[in-house]
């Protein structure tokens, strides 16, 4: 057991400098300033260097709720210049070799002034993953009350009743009221806390790259539902787009092995001439797709956030938004507990966090998996039913408005940060 007198004391230790881990640290310091001490432990130092060819090629459809949180945390001003507001969304459903891909559903992606929005704003922005990482990392690096301990890993931790003792793999010892696992899908702290997961493989591979194109996208995001999986064209500034591409795992191997000319030809087939002449403007990256959910979000003095708690199919681009909802909820509970003189690492406080976030995450994972299964096939009768349903939704303005509000992350029991309220 760690000797508390020799261990470095913190209020919260976060394992993992992920988007969720960095945002959680920033949220707590924004609430308490120098009155709170946070440690982030990670195997790699956070990246604040200029963009490079090895950057994360992904881009996220950041919801209005998540954007409000980043604005409140003083991070959005660095992201706004490199982000693209989504003004409209179009959806098609066709075979890969279809000569024409009719638009079955289109909707305006703005929130009207009222309960959900103080002024007319877009429900989502496309944000490059690398820019988000750099902005969060820079905000953490400039904060004196956050210690980033890297490169380092956690060897083990022990619940001492009133605190948790954390031993790093180099022998250093930390103590805190709460330890948070934020390392991502393969969370070692989740395993050490003996929290089990349930999950399944999709037999699909995600391919991501960036293209430059001749015609302006006008802020329009396009989702092609193809038999192998969804193909999303996410607009970026300067006539560029991030392609988020779900492909059959075997076919993906063939496509990824092509040279640039062959790979671009595959891209052009799927974009189907909508954006004029295309050129590759970034690296191609790929990874196998799977869904997982944890059987618990918390253990004594321990909580999970982001992909450590839930990994979802990227069909709706909501993974980072779910992670930020976790962050906003946990930060609010920790902040409220500390202000009331209560223990933020108690099972009572953590149980509230688990109840708040577990159902929403499970329902989202099931919905995204269901959508992927529904659209990732070429059965003629099912396609006819799908197309009828999409066409029906296209004629129902109230349903489309509901879809926009859901995608904006502004429904349900919202954390204060998602309402642009300070903790």
């Amino acid at each position: 057991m760690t000797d508390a007198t020799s261990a470095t004391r913190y209020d919260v230790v976060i394992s993992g400098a992920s988007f969720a881990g960095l945002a959680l640290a920033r949220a707590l310091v924004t609430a308490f300033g120098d009155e709170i001490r946070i440690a982030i432990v990670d195997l790699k130092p956070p990246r604040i260097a200029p963009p490079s060819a090895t950057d994360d090629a992904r881009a996220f459809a950041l919801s209005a709720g998540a954007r409000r949180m980043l604005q409140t945390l003083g991070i959005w001003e660095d992201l706004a210049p490199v982000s693209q507001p989504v003004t409209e969304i179009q959806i098609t459903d066709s075979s890969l070799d279809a000569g024409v891909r009719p638009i079955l559903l289109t909707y305006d992606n703005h929130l009207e002034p009222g309960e959900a929005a103080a002024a007319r704003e877009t429900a989502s922005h496309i944000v490059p993953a690398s820019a988000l990482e750099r902005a969060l990392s820079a905000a953490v690096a400039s904060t004196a009350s956050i210690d980033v301990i890297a490169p380092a890993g956690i060897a083990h931790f022990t619940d001492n009743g009133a605190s948790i003792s954390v031993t790093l793999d180099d022998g250093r010892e930390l103590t805190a009221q709460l330890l948070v696992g934020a390392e991502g899908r393969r969370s070692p702290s989740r395993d050490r806390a003996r929290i089990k997961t349930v999950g399944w493989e999709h037999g699909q591979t995600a391919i991501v790259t960036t293209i430059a194109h001749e015609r302006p996208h006008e802020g329009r995001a396009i989702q092609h539902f193809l038999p192998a999986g969804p193909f999303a064209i996410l607009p970026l500034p300067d006539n560029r787009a991030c392609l988020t591409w779900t492909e059959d795992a075997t076919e993906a191997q063939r496509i990824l092995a092509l040279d640039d000319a062959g790979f671009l030809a595959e891209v052009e087939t799927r974009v189907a001439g909508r954006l004029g002449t295309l050129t590759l403007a970034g690296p191609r990256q790929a990874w196998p797709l799977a869904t997982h959910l944890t059987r618990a979000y918390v253990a004594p003095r321990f909580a999970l956030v982001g992909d450590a708690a839930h990994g979802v199919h990227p069909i709706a681009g909501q993974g980072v938004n779910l992670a930020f909802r976790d962050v906003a909820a946990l930060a609010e509970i920790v902040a409220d507990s500390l202000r009331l003189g209560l223990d933020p690492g108690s099972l009572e406080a953590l149980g509230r966090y688990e109840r708040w976030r577990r159902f929403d995450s499970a329902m989202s994972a099931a919905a995204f998996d269901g959508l992927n299964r529904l659209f990732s096939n070429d059965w003629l009768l099912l396609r006819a039913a799908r197309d009828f349903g999409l066409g029906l939704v296209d004629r129902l303005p109230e349903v489309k408005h509901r879809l926009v509000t859901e995608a904006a992350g502004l429904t349900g029991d919202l954390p204060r940060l998602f309402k642009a309220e300070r903790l």
Side-chain angles (χ1 to χ4, degrees), residues 247-304:
E247 186 57 72
D248 172 78
T250 302
E251 177 67 1
Q253 289 183 341
R254 182 192 69 81
I255 292 170
L256 291 166
L258 296 171
D259 60 15
D260 283 353
F263 183 76
L264 182 60
E266 295 287 345
V267 168
E268 289 171 333
T269 298
R270 289 158 176 80
V271 175
R274 291 184 182 272
L275 297 171
T277 303
L278 308 181
T279 57
L280 296 177
R284 61 183 96 162
Q285 296 174 353
W287 60 93
L289 290 177
T291 291
H292 78 263
L293 293 166
T294 56
R295 296 186 181 275
Y297 271 37
V298 302
R301 300 209 166 272
F302 179 77
L304 294 168

Side-chain angles (χ1 to χ4, degrees), residues 2-15 25 28-29 33-41 143-150 152 154 160 162-168 172-180 301 334 338 343-345:
T2 300
D3 180 0
T5 61
S6 63
T8 305
R9 294 176 178 270
Y10 293 96
D11 295 287
V12 179
V13 172
I14 300 170
S15 179
L28 292 173
V29 169
D34 293 339
E35 297 177 9
I36 194 168
R37 290 199 66 199
I38 310 292
I40 300 176
V41 181
T143 306
S145 54
I146 301 175
D147 289 342
V148 178
I149 304 173
I154 293 177
N160 296 324
S163 65
I164 190 165
S165 297
V166 179
T167 302
L168 305 186
R172 280 180 287 179
E173 297 176 340
L174 316 176
T175 186
Q177 291 178 283
L178 174 64
L179 172 64
V180 179
R301 300 209 166 272
V334 170
L338 290 173
D343 183 354

Side-chain angles (χ1 to χ4, degrees), residues 182-191 201 287-288 290 292 307-309:
E183 309 99 332
R185 287 176 176 255
R186 294 178 176 84
S187 167
S189 65
R190 180 186 66 210
D191 295 339
E201 304 287 333
W287 60 93
H292 78 263
D307 284 353

